[in-house]
Amino acid sequence: MNFLRGVMGGQSAGPQHTEAETIQKLCDRVASSTLLDDRRNAVRALKSLSKKYRLEVGIQAMEHLIHVLQTDRSDSEIIGYALDTLFNIISNDEEEEVEENSTRQSEDLGSQFTEIFIKQQENVTLLLSLLEDFDFHVRWPGVKLLTSLLKQLGPQVQQIILVSPMGVSRLMDLLADSREVIRNDGVLLLQALTRSNGAIQKIVAFENAFERLLDIITEEGNSDGGIVVEDCLILLQNLLKNNNSNQNFFKEGSYIQRMKPWFEVGDENSGWSAQKVTNLHLMLQLVRVLVSPTNPPGATSSCQKAMFQCGLLQQLCTILMATGVPADILTETINTVSEVIRGCQVNQDYFASVNAPSNPPRPAIVVLLMSMVNERQPFVLRCAVLYCFQCFLYKNQKGQGEIVSTLLPSTIDATGNSVSAGQLLCGGLFSTDSLSNWCAAVALAHALQENATQKEQLLRVQLATSIGNPPVSLLQQCTNILSQGSKIQTRVGLLMLLCTWLSNCPIAVTHFLHNSANVPFLTGQIAENLGEEEQLVQGLCALLLGISIYFNDNSLESYMKEKLKQIIEKRIGKENFIEKLGFISKHELYSRASQKPQPNFPSPEYMIFDHEFTKLVKELEGVITKAIYKSSEEDKKEEEEKKTLEQHDNIVTHYKNVIREQDLQLEELKQQISTLKCQNEQLQTAVTQQVSQIQQHKDQYNLLKVQLGKDNQHQGSYNDGVQMNGVQPEEIGRFREEIEQLKSNQELLRNQLAEKDSLIEKLVQSVPVPGESETVIAAKTTDVEGRLSALLQETKELKNEIKALSEERTAIKEQLDSSNSTIVILQNEKNQLEVNITDSKKEQDDLLVLLADQDQKILSLKNKLKELGHPDEEEDELESIDQDDEDDEDKDDDKSQGDN
C-alpha cells in the first residue's frame, strides 16, 4: 500500500480534488447503504471512474468491491459492476497510455493490485465460485478478471487455483458455454492458466480438453477459421509442448487422426488470408511438437507411425509438392515433414517414393535439392531443405546407399535426360556459391554418417574436371579445392566432409594419404600463425590430420602412424597441434550447433557447424590427443591388441552369421510346424465330419431295414437320403493324399533337424582357436555358447513337437483306416439292400401283370354271360359276394374293437 501511495504522490496528473471526494463518497455508500439499489448505483459509478482514475479507485474501493462479491451474490447486476471495476483496476490494457513511463507505471500498478487481491487466497476461490453462475453479466467479467490476474502474477495465481477444490474443472466448463464470447475468452483464460505449469496442463488434458478444442477447431472451419482457431491451437501447444504425459494421452486418444483435415488446403487459387497462414503455421508447429527430436525416442517413434497410418504424412507431402503455397508455409511444411520422417524407416521409405507433379515426374528429394543449391532461393528455405535431407538420411542406411549410388558410374544417366540427387550435390559442392558448397558438403557427409560401406563406395566416384584431362576422384577434387584458398565457408564445409569420410574408414585414409601433396598442405596450414578467422580452418586441418593418424592401417610406408607423428613434432610441435585442435570446440558457433539437429541460422555467415559433426568432434578430440602422445611401442602394442580383437570379432561375426542362418532355419521350421498344425486341425475336422456321416449312414441303414416292406414312395425317399448322406469316394482319396503329404512333411522336418544337429555339433567343436588362451576363448565365446545352448534347447523342443505331431498323425491314420473299413462294410450292405429292393420291385411288377390278366379274364367271362342271356343273375351274385365280403370285413372290425 505504501508503494501505491508513493506512485500516487509521484503522479503529475492525479484526480482532481472533487473526483477524489466523489470516489470517497461512493465507497462510503457501498459500505454503509442498506438499500441494494443505492449500493448498485454507487458501484456502477465507481466502474465509470475506474478507467480514468484507476489508482484512486483501486486504493479506496478494492476492499469494498470484494465485500460486495461476498455479500450481494443474489444480485447479478451489482456483481457484474464490481467485477468490471476490479478488472479495470488490475488490467493494464489501457489504450490511452502510450508513453513508456506511464506504461511501465501501469504495469507496476496492475501487478501490485493483483498482489493485494490474491493475498487473501479466498478471493480467488470466491472468483472461481462466481464463474459457476450462468448469468452472462457475472460469468463474462469474471472470466476477464481471472485472465488478467493470471497475466499479472501467473505462477502465484496458478498455485492457488491448483489447490482449490474443483478449480480447474470449473474453468473447463467455459469451453462448453453456448455463448461464443464466453467460450472464446475461456480459451484465452486457459492459455494463461496452462502456461509453464505441467501439473495444471495434465489436469486440463484429462478434463477432456483435447476433444473440446478439436471440436471447436472443426466447427470454426479448421485452417480457414478465424482467430478462435489460432487461440485454440496456442492452447493445444501449451498442453503438449514438453509434456510427455499429455503427448502420450493425445496419441493414445487417437487425436492425431483428427489433425489430418487441417492440412486439406483445397484449391490453390482459393487464396491465403493472413489468418489462414497463421493458423496453418501453428498447426504445423503442433505436429512438430509431437515428433520433436528432443522428445523421448519411443514417444516420437509411435507418433511418427500414427501420422503415416492415418495419412497425415501423405497430406503434408501433398502441400510440399503443391503450387501457390506461401513461402513461409512451404518452409515450415518442409521442417515438419523432416521431423515426421527422421529416424523412422517406414516414413523415410514413403518420402523416397514421393514424386513432384511435373512432366516427367521427378522425385521430391531431387526437387528439394534443386532449391537447396539454388542461390536465388530464400536462405530459410535452403536451410529447411538441408534439414529435410539430413532427416531423410538419419539412421537410414538404405537411403544413404540410394543417394551414393546416384554418383557411381554404373548408375549415371548417360542420356542426360534426368538429373540425380548425387549430381545435384556434386554441382553444389563445386559451384561458385559458398553457401551451396557448405550445404552440399554437409548433405553428402550425412550420406556417409556411420556407414563404412558407403564411405568405401564413394571412393569409386570419378569426376571429369575439364575436356581432354583424365578424370579425378571426388576425394582428390575436394582436396584440390581446399588448396586453392577458397572462401572460409567453402573450406569448412569440405573439411567437415573429409573428416566424416575418413573417420572409421582406413581405406579412405589410405586413399587420402596416397596423394603426396595432402599432408604437406595440412601441416603448412596448421603451422602458420594466421588471423582469428583462419583459426577454425586450422583446427579442422588438425582434426583431419589426427584422423589420418588414428585410423591409419600403416599400409603406406611413407605415411605410417609413427612417421606422421614425427612430421607433426618436427614441423608443428605436439603442444601447438593440440592447441590448434582445440580451436574447434572453443568456437562461439560450436555450442550453438551442438544443441539441436535443425540447422537454424539467422544469416548465412553463421552457417559454420553441422550438428552431427559436433558429435564427431566430441568423440574424436580426446582419442586423437592420446594418439599424438603415444610412443611407438604403445602403438605397436595397440596394433597387436587391435588385430587380436579383430580376430575375435571375426570369430564372433562368423558365429553371429551362423546363428543368424540358424535363426532363419528355425523360423522356417516354425512356419512348417505351424502349417502342419493347421493341416492337422483340418484333418481332425474332416475326420469328425466323416464320423458324423458314418453315423448318419448307419441310421439310414437301420431305417432301410424297417422300410423294406413299404411302398415305392418311401423307397424313393430312402434312396435320396442314401445319396445325400453317403460317403463320396473322392473324399476318401483326398484324405489319403493329405496323409501322404503329412508323411513327406514329417520326413523333411526330420532331415532338417538332422542337418541342424550336425551343424551345431560342428560349431561346438570349432570354438577353440589355435594359439589363443582358454581365458580369451571363454571370454569371447560365452555369448555364442549361450546362443548355441538356447538353439539346442529350441531344437529339442522342436523334436518333441514333431514327435507329438507324428503320434497325432498315426492316430488320425488309424481312425481313418477304421472309418474306411466301416464305409466298405456299409457300402456292401447298401448294395445288397439295393439288390433286394430291385427283386421286390420285380415281384410286385409280376403281381400287377397277373392281376391285369385276371381282370381281363373276368371281363371276358361277363361278356360271355351277357351273350348267354344271364347277366342280372350273375351280377346279383357277384354283388352279393361283394356285399358278403364287406359284411365280413365290418364284423372283423367290430370284433377287433371289442377285443381292444
Side-chain angles (χ1 to χ4, degrees):
M1 190 66 73
N2 291 335
F3 168 81
L4 295 176
R5 296 191 183 280
V7 172
M8 182 179 174
Q11 281 185 326
S12 59
Q16 296 297 324
H17 184 64
T18 54
E19 281 79 4
E21 289 179 350
T22 302
I23 292 169
Q24 184 61 51
K25 288 179 181 178
L26 291 171
C27 290
D28 292 340
R29 284 175 61 188
V30 172
S32 59
S33 179
T34 56
L35 294 176
L36 179 60
D37 286 345
D38 288 345
R39 294 200 303 277
R40 186 190 303 119
N41 292 333
V43 174
R44 183 168 56 206
L46 286 170
K47 173 191 169 184
S48 63
L49 294 170
S50 59
K51 280 193 175 182
K52 189 172 182 180
Y53 304 111
R54 177 184 178 194
L55 177 64
E56 188 68 21
V57 172
I59 292 172
Q60 298 189 51
M62 180 176 283
E63 187 176 345
H64 301 296
L65 294 169
I66 293 171
H67 185 69
V68 166
L69 297 179
Q70 294 169 339
T71 57
D72 290 326
R73 294 188 60 172
S74 59
D75 185 74
S76 60
E77 194 173 356
I78 192 173
I79 294 294
Y81 291 147
L83 291 170
D84 281 332
T85 307
L86 286 169
F87 172 75
N88 292 339
I89 294 169
I90 289 171
S91 174
N92 292 329
D93 301 332
E94 294 189 27
E95 296 179 2
E96 58 271 15
E97 291 180 344
V98 292
E99 295 182 6
E100 185 179 349
N101 290 336
S102 64
T103 302
R104 188 180 299 112
Q105 188 180 83
S106 171
E107 290 174 357
D108 290 339
L109 280 176
S111 60
Q112 290 298 323
F113 281 132
T114 301
E115 190 173 355
I116 294 169
F117 184 85
I118 67 171
K119 191 172 185 180
Q120 300 296 325
Q121 292 191 9
E122 53 268 23
N123 291 343
V124 179
T125 307
L126 172 64
L127 186 54
L128 290 171
S129 65
L130 287 172
L131 290 177
E132 292 183 339
D133 194 328
F134 193 72
D135 191 294
F136 181 82
H137 297 93
V138 175
R139 185 171 257 200
W140 189 38
V143 169
K144 293 194 295 181
L145 176 58
L146 186 55
T147 305
S148 185
L149 292 172
L150 284 162
K151 286 180 179 178
Q152 296 292 348
L153 295 174
Q156 295 91 319
V157 180
Q158 284 174 335
Q159 195 58 36
I160 296 171
I161 294 174
L162 190 58
V163 299
S164 176
M166 300 297 290
V168 177
S169 298
R170 290 170 177 169
L171 300 180
M172 285 300 301
D173 291 339
L174 298 172
L175 294 182
D177 199 302
S178 58
R179 296 159 294 192
E180 287 191 3
V181 64
I182 293 179
R183 182 200 69 183
N184 298 345
D185 281 354
V187 173
L188 296 175
L189 169 58
L190 290 170
Q191 275 184 25
L193 178 67
T194 56
R195 192 171 290 119
S196 304
N197 191 305
I200 291 179
Q201 289 167 3
K202 291 178 183 177
I203 296 172
V204 170
F206 281 97
E207 287 284 349
N208 209 25
F210 293 141
E211 185 76 31
R212 295 184 184 181
L213 290 171
L214 291 171
D215 285 343
I216 294 172
I217 292 171
T218 303
E219 291 167 9
E220 294 292 325
N222 293 325
S223 61
D224 291 319
I227 196 169
V228 178
V229 171
E230 177 184 344
D231 292 336
C232 289
L233 292 168
I234 293 171
L235 177 52
L236 282 170
Q237 282 199 19
N238 284 357
L239 296 174
L240 292 171
K241 196 168 186 179
N242 300 321
N243 193 316
N244 298 329
S245 173
N246 280 4
Q247 288 174 10
N248 186 58
F249 181 61
F250 191 85
K251 179 187 72 69
E252 295 295 335
S254 300
Y255 296 118
I256 289 178
Q257 289 84 329
R258 295 189 60 180
M259 299 169 76
K260 183 188 174 186
W262 294 356
F263 304 103
E264 294 172 357
V265 294
D267 185 13
E268 62 188 66
N269 298 319
S270 60
W272 291 75
S273 65
Q275 186 62 56
K276 180 173 182 175
V277 171
T278 300
N279 291 346
L280 205 53
H281 200 81
L282 288 168
M283 289 169 174
L284 291 166
Q285 287 180 343
L286 198 59
V287 174
R288 294 185 67 184
V289 164
L290 295 170
V291 292
S292 171
T294 59
N295 293 345
T300 297
S301 176
S302 58
C303 287
Q304 287 173 326
K305 291 175 183 175
M307 289 175 184
F308 174 75
Q309 289 166 357
C310 74
L312 178 56
L313 173 59
Q314 294 85 327
Q315 198 66 49
L316 290 172
C317 289
T318 302
I319 298 176
L320 201 65
M321 295 291 105
T323 56
V325 179
D328 54 344
I329 292 296
L330 179 60
T331 302
E332 189 63 18
T333 303
I334 294 171
N335 286 326
T336 306
V337 170
S338 305
E339 293 181 351
V340 174
I341 67 174
R342 186 177 189 268
C344 180
Q345 188 67 55
V346 176
N347 293 8
Q348 288 168 334
D349 289 345
Y350 171 77
F351 183 69
S353 70
V354 175
N355 285 324
S358 58
N359 191 17
R362 283 178 172 169
I365 296 171
V366 170
V367 175
L368 290 173
L369 287 177
M370 286 178 175
S371 300
M372 186 185 78
V373 297
N374 185 348
E375 56 187 300
R376 291 190 296 274
Q377 292 291 344
F379 173 66
V380 289
L381 178 64
R382 298 174 74 181
C383 289
V385 172
L386 175 61
Y387 185 42
C388 187
F389 191 73
Q390 291 172 345
C391 291
F392 168 65
L393 296 177
Y394 183 71
K395 293 185 178 179
N396 182 9
Q397 292 198 348
K398 178 183 175 184
Q400 289 174 321
E402 290 171 354
I403 295 299
V404 172
S405 69
T406 61
L407 283 162
L408 300 178
S410 59
T411 58
I412 293 175
D413 184 4
T415 61
N417 291 333
S418 62
V419 63
S420 68
Q423 289 169 320
L424 286 170
L425 290 177
C426 274
L429 199 60
F430 307 126
S431 75
T432 55
D433 176 33
S434 62
L435 186 59
S436 294
N437 302 154
W438 191 93
C439 290
V442 169
L444 199 53
H446 277 258
L448 306 176
Q449 202 78 39
E450 298 180 0
N451 195 327
T453 302
Q454 301 312 322
K455 290 177 182 179
E456 294 179 15
Q457 286 287 81
L458 202 63
L459 294 172
R460 296 170 50 203
V461 177
Q462 299 289 317
L463 302 173
T465 54
S466 59
I467 298 173
N469 291 329
V472 297
S473 68
L474 175 62
L475 183 67
Q476 183 59 47
Q477 185 64 11
C478 290
T479 56
N480 289 345
I481 295 174
L482 270 179
S483 62
Q484 291 170 5
S486 49
K487 293 181 181 178
I488 286 182
Q489 193 173 41
T490 300
R491 285 183 286 158
V492 168
L494 289 170
L495 285 166
M496 287 195 295
L497 170 59
L498 290 170
C499 289
T500 305
W501 195 345
L502 269 59
S503 64
N504 289 292
C505 187
I507 297 175
V509 171
T510 302
H511 276 72
F512 178 76
L513 295 176
H514 195 269
N515 184 348
S516 57
N518 286 341
V519 171
F521 168 73
L522 291 178
T523 54
Q525 288 286 308
I526 300 166
E528 289 184 22
N529 292 320
L530 303 174
E532 188 175 341
E533 290 184 356
E534 293 288 336
Q535 285 184 347
L536 177 58
V537 174
Q538 287 186 299
L540 291 170
C541 287
L543 179 64
L544 183 57
L545 187 55
I547 289 171
S548 301
I549 295 172
Y550 186 73
F551 295 105
N552 193 331
D553 60 2
N554 291 329
S555 58
L556 287 178
E557 188 176 349
S558 55
Y559 288 117
M560 296 174 69
K561 283 186 178 183
E562 190 59 34
K563 289 188 177 180
L564 287 174
K565 286 196 283 188
Q566 289 173 2
I567 291 172
I568 289 174
E569 190 167 6
K570 183 178 178 181
R571 299 183 185 176
I572 305 169
K574 290 182 179 179
E575 290 76 11
N576 191 26
F577 178 86
I578 299 303
E579 182 186 356
K580 298 289 176 71
L581 182 64
F583 286 163
I584 303 173
S585 55
K586 292 176 183 176
H587 197 278
E588 57 182 350
L589 297 177
Y590 176 87
S591 59
R592 178 172 182 168
S594 64
Q595 291 171 4
K596 56 182 181 179
Q598 183 181 358
N600 188 12
F601 305 103
S603 58
E605 58 267 18
Y606 288 89
M607 213 168 189
I608 296 296
F609 284 109
D610 169 59
H611 176 75
E612 290 297 327
F613 181 74
T614 61
K615 292 182 182 179
L616 183 67
V617 172
K618 189 175 181 181
E619 176 189 339
L620 294 179
E621 189 174 8
V623 296
I624 288 173
T625 301
K626 289 180 182 178
I628 294 298
Y629 283 107
K630 278 180 183 175
S631 63
S632 58
E633 291 78 10
E634 289 175 326
D635 276 339
K636 288 179 182 178
K637 187 177 180 181
E638 186 178 331
E639 284 296 324
E640 290 175 359
E641 289 177 357
K642 275 186 179 180
K643 287 180 180 177
T644 305
L645 287 174
E646 284 176 3
Q647 290 177 354
H648 291 313
D649 288 342
N650 291 336
I651 294 170
V652 172
T653 303
H654 171 69
Y655 286 143
K656 285 181 178 179
N657 292 333
V658 171
I659 291 170
R660 191 176 296 112
E661 291 174 2
Q662 292 177 342
D663 286 343
L664 293 173
Q665 292 175 0
L666 280 174
E667 282 299 320
E668 291 176 1
L669 288 172
K670 287 178 180 177
Q671 290 176 1
Q672 290 177 2
I673 288 173
S674 177
T675 304
L676 287 172
K677 282 182 177 179
C678 291
Q679 291 177 351
N680 185 26
E681 291 173 0
Q682 291 173 358
L683 280 174
Q684 286 180 340
T685 304
V687 168
T688 303
Q689 294 174 351
Q690 193 71 28
V691 169
S692 174
Q693 288 180 351
I694 290 169
Q695 185 60 43
Q696 291 177 359
H697 193 76
K698 286 180 178 179
D699 294 341
Q700 290 291 336
Y701 173 70
N702 293 330
L703 184 62
L704 276 173
K705 286 182 176 180
V706 174
Q707 292 181 338
L708 194 57
K710 292 190 177 181
D711 58 14
N712 294 335
Q713 185 179 357
H714 291 152
Q715 290 170 2
S717 299
Y718 163 77
N719 291 334
D720 292 341
V722 170
Q723 289 177 353
M724 287 174 60
N725 297 300
V727 179
Q728 300 298 326
E730 55 270 18
E731 292 184 3
I732 297 171
R734 181 169 57 82
F735 291 149
R736 286 174 179 165
E737 289 176 1
E738 288 178 355
I739 288 173
E740 288 302 321
Q741 184 65 33
L742 276 174
K743 284 181 181 179
S744 61
N745 286 344
Q746 184 185 8
E747 190 63 29
L748 179 63
L749 283 173
R750 283 177 176 167
N751 293 337
Q752 289 177 344
L753 281 173
E755 290 175 4
K756 287 177 63 63
D757 289 340
S758 174
L759 183 60
I760 291 168
E761 189 64 30
K762 288 179 182 177
L763 283 173
V764 173
Q765 292 175 0
S766 63
V767 169
V769 177
E772 290 184 340
S773 67
E774 293 181 359
T775 306
V776 175
I777 293 169
K780 286 296 175 180
T781 58
T782 299
D783 181 57
V784 177
E785 289 177 350
R787 291 288 302 275
L788 288 173
S789 177
L791 195 60
L792 287 168
Q793 181 63 29
E794 192 170 356
T795 305
K796 185 177 179 182
E797 293 173 0
L798 280 173
K799 286 182 177 179
N800 294 335
E801 201 167 344
I802 290 172
K803 183 179 178 182
L805 190 62
S806 177
E807 291 173 356
E808 281 184 349
R809 185 185 64 78
T810 303
I812 290 170
K813 187 175 182 303
E814 291 174 356
Q815 193 172 2
L816 193 57
D817 290 341
S818 174
S819 300
N820 288 338
S821 62
T822 306
I823 290 166
V824 171
I825 294 168
L826 289 174
Q827 190 69 34
N828 291 336
E829 291 181 355
K830 174 186 171 187
N831 294 337
Q832 186 61 43
L833 285 171
E834 288 175 347
V835 170
N836 292 340
I837 290 167
T838 304
D839 292 343
S840 177
K841 282 183 178 180
K842 188 176 181 182
E843 288 177 1
Q844 288 180 0
D845 291 341
D846 292 343
L847 287 171
L848 288 171
V849 171
L850 289 172
L851 285 172
D853 290 344
Q854 287 177 352
D855 287 341
Q856 189 67 32
K857 287 179 182 179
I858 291 169
L859 183 61
S860 177
L861 288 172
K862 283 182 180 181
N863 291 333
K864 285 181 179 180
L865 286 172
K866 284 181 182 180
E867 290 174 358
L868 292 173
H870 302 284
D872 294 337
E873 185 177 342
E874 291 296 329
E875 288 179 2
D876 290 342
E877 186 178 349
L878 290 171
E879 288 176 0
S880 64
I881 291 170
D882 293 338
Q883 186 64 43
D884 290 341
D885 291 340
E886 290 177 1
D887 292 341
D888 290 341
E889 289 178 1
D890 291 340
K891 286 178 182 180
D892 290 340
D893 291 340
D894 292 340
K895 184 179 179 180
S896 64
Q897 288 178 0
D899 292 339
N900 291 332

